[in-house]
């Protein structure tokens, strides 16, 4: 009997969307804070960095507490803080109140991201869930970029969009587990040590630098388009919307590709391509050059991000590395707007692009090494490798046996013990699951 096809966890996808939307709207948020509140570019970038730093802080504080507190309660708390914080920042023009609201909203977004990352890592197919989340947030951000320029120049419009998204997602949290369900994790004890410590630390540090480079450009992309590529506000919004639409195509491609190439090739080669796209986009002086660089960049970026999320999730089935790596990424994202503004002022947009591109080439090496070491094997999570390299626990993974009961990917090879049976067992058709491609698809992470 074939195993049922894994279903997409839509409440988690919605929560993922609400948590990830602020970074996606960073260019228009920072740009409108500058023009609407008469802030300098560096001051507006600092506000964006404070928002994202607050989001990262929530991830570090809550990484190991989702199971204990309950996903439903934490998700509702995070969404409530997002609605209050971003809503307040959108409705006021007092600078200190906008900053306070942005920081409070960032704390809520980070909490939502933490819950989503933890629960997605526990899914049978975390790559499928994270891909759906990236599709959702890219589509929503693209719609915002197309709509906001036609609604007025106020600083509060992108902030209001984030607050309304959190409000719309709140009712879906009823389908998340509460504290009782989350208090008994499927994989090991609550206080079990983190597995793959060295790989996790290297990945977290590398992803922080990777995200810093991405968002250093993303935070000043609006200024590049307006001042260097000579685009109008509406045309700039259209470029960003098309770029995010191209990101949808990239995510769909990543979902279709799945684990066919492992994770090392998409992570390493994709980061090299991103480095080139960033250099092109930052040095563009024409609308066509800027649009081409942004579209190419946003096509590749979510592909690599989806594999990084899956790689972090594969290091710990309880989701702790997924949250910690995601929080490290948020730290890099938080520093991006300010770092991009400073680099642009001191080295110019073109010089900034070259520096960021070189930095990405450097961090591609350790990220690829972790992908090869911890995530490049074709084995299913929990599969035991026989002498000779054949996966031997595919059926066990399909029958509901807890994956923590067998060695994880990367564990030392285990000897196979043969047990003699006096009488041959009578096979009953339908009593056993298959070990074909459907099983591999259902359990691959």
């Amino acid at each position: 009997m074939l195993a049922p096809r894994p279903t997409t966890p839509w409440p988690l996808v919605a929560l993922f969307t609400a948590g990830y939307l602020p970074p996606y709207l960073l260019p228009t948020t920072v740009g409108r804070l500058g023009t609407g509140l008469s802030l300098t570019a560096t001051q507006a970038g600092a506000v964006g960095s404070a928002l994202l730093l607050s989001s990262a802080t929530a991830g570090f504080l809550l990484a190991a507490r989702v199971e204990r507190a309950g996903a439903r309660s934490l998700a509702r708390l995070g969404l409530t803080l997002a609605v209050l914080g971003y809503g307040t920042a959108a409705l006021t023009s007092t600078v200190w109140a906008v900053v306070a609201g942005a920081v409070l909203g960032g704390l809520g977004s980070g909490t939502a991201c933490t819950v989503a990352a933890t629960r997605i890592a526990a899914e049978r197919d975390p790559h499928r869930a994270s891909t759906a989340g990236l599709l959702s947030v890219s589509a929503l951000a693209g719609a915002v970029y197309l709509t906001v320029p036609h609604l007025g120049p106020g600083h509060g419009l992108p902030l209001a969009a984030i607050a309304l998204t959190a409000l719309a997602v709140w009712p879906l949290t009823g389908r998340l587990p509460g504290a009782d369900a989350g208090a008994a994790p499927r994989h090991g004890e609550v206080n079990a040590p983190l597995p793959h410590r060295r790989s996790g630390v290297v990945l977290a540090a590398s992803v922080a630098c990777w995200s810093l480079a991405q968002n250093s450009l993303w935070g000043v992309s609006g200024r590049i388009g307006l001042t260097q590529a000579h685009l109008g506000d509406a045309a700039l919004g259209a470029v960003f919307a098309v770029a995010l639409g191209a990101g949808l195509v990239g995510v769909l491609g990543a979902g279709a590709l799945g684990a066919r190439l492992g994770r090392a090739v998409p992570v390493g080669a994709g980061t090299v391509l991103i480095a080139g796209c960033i250099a092109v986009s930052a040095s563009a002086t024409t609308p066509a050059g800027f649009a081409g660089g942004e579209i190419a960049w946003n096509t590749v970026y979510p592909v690599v991000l989806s594999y990084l999320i899956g790689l972090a999730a594969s290091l710990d089935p309880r989701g702790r590395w997924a949250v910690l790596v995601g929080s490290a990424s948020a730290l890099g994202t938080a520093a991006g707007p300010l770092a991009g503004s400073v680099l642009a002022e001191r080295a110019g947009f073109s010089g900034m692009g070259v520096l960021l591109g070189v930095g990405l080439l450097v961090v591609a090496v350790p990220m690829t090494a972790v992908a090869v070491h911890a995530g490049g094997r074709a084995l299913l999570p929990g599969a035991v490798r026989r002498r000779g390299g054949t996966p031997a626990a595919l059926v066990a993974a399909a029958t509901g046996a807890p994956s923590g009961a067998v060695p994880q990917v990367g564990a030392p090879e285990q000897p196979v013990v043969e047990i003699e049976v006096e009488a041959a067992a009578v096979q009953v058709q339908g009593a056993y699951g298959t070990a074909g491609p459907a099983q591999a698809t259902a359990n691959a992470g």
Side-chain angles (χ1 to χ4, degrees), residues 45-410:
V47 176
S49 292
L51 184 161
L52 298 174
L53 180 61
S54 177
S55 179
T57 301
F60 283 117
L61 292 176
L62 300 174
R65 293 177 171 84
V66 174
E67 294 173 339
R68 189 179 308 164
R72 186 191 309 139
S73 299
L74 279 182
R76 288 177 173 176
L77 174 61
L79 294 175
T80 300
L81 293 177
V83 172
L84 293 176
Y86 294 124
T88 299
L91 295 175
T92 184
S93 58
T94 305
V95 174
W96 70 265
V98 172
V99 174
V103 170
L104 182 64
L107 190 64
S109 296
T111 301
C113 283
T114 299
V115 176
T118 302
R119 298 302 305 173
I120 285 174
E123 292 290 314
R124 288 194 299 169
D125 191 350
H127 186 263
R128 176 188 179 93
S130 60
T131 298
L134 289 171
L135 281 172
S136 176
V137 71
S138 297
L140 180 58
V144 172
Y145 277 116
L146 285 175
T147 305
V148 163
H150 302 286
L151 299 180
H155 77 280
L157 290 174
L159 296 169
I162 301 172
L164 291 175
T165 300
L167 184 63
V169 170
W170 202 95
L172 299 178
T173 58
R175 298 174 61 182
L176 297 176
D180 291 338
R186 295 181 303 165
H187 304 281
E189 299 295 330
V190 172
N191 296 321
L194 276 170
H196 304 291
R197 284 179 177 269
R198 182 180 302 175
S199 296
V201 170
V202 171
L203 182 63
S206 301
V207 168
C209 297
W210 186 85
S211 295
L212 172 64
Q214 311 289 331
N215 286 278
S216 293
L217 176 65
W218 190 236
V220 298
S221 286
R223 290 167 54 198
I224 295 174
L226 292 172
T227 62
Q228 184 171 278
H230 310 295
L231 288 166
D233 190 45
L236 181 65
V239 169
F240 286 147
V242 173
L244 291 172
L248 294 176
V249 176
V251 174
L252 287 173
L257 181 63
R260 290 179 177 85
L261 298 178
R263 293 191 180 99
V265 172
V267 168
T271 299
V272 172
L273 289 176
I274 289 173
C277 294
I278 284 180
V280 169
S281 183
S283 62
T285 57
T286 64
F290 176 76
E294 290 287 318
I295 291 170
W297 172 36
N298 281 277
T299 301
V300 182
Y301 164 77
V303 175
V304 179
L305 179 60
S306 70
Y307 281 95
L308 288 174
I309 292 173
L311 177 58
S314 72
L315 295 179
D316 177 23
R318 286 182 55 200
R320 290 169 295 178
W321 274 125
V323 174
L324 292 173
V325 170
S327 298
S329 174
L331 279 179
T333 301
L338 183 58
S341 297
V342 172
L343 286 175
E345 289 180 0
R346 296 189 177 183
F349 291 130
S350 297
M352 178 197 69
V354 171
L355 291 173
L356 295 178
V358 171
L360 281 173
L361 294 179
V362 172
V363 301
V365 175
M367 289 196 308
T368 305
V370 173
V372 170
H373 175 71
R377 298 178 177 87
L379 284 176
L380 297 178
V384 180
R385 183 188 292 272
R386 287 186 184 272
R387 302 291 183 183
T390 304
L394 303 183
V395 177
T399 56
S403 60
V406 290
Q408 298 294 318
V409 175

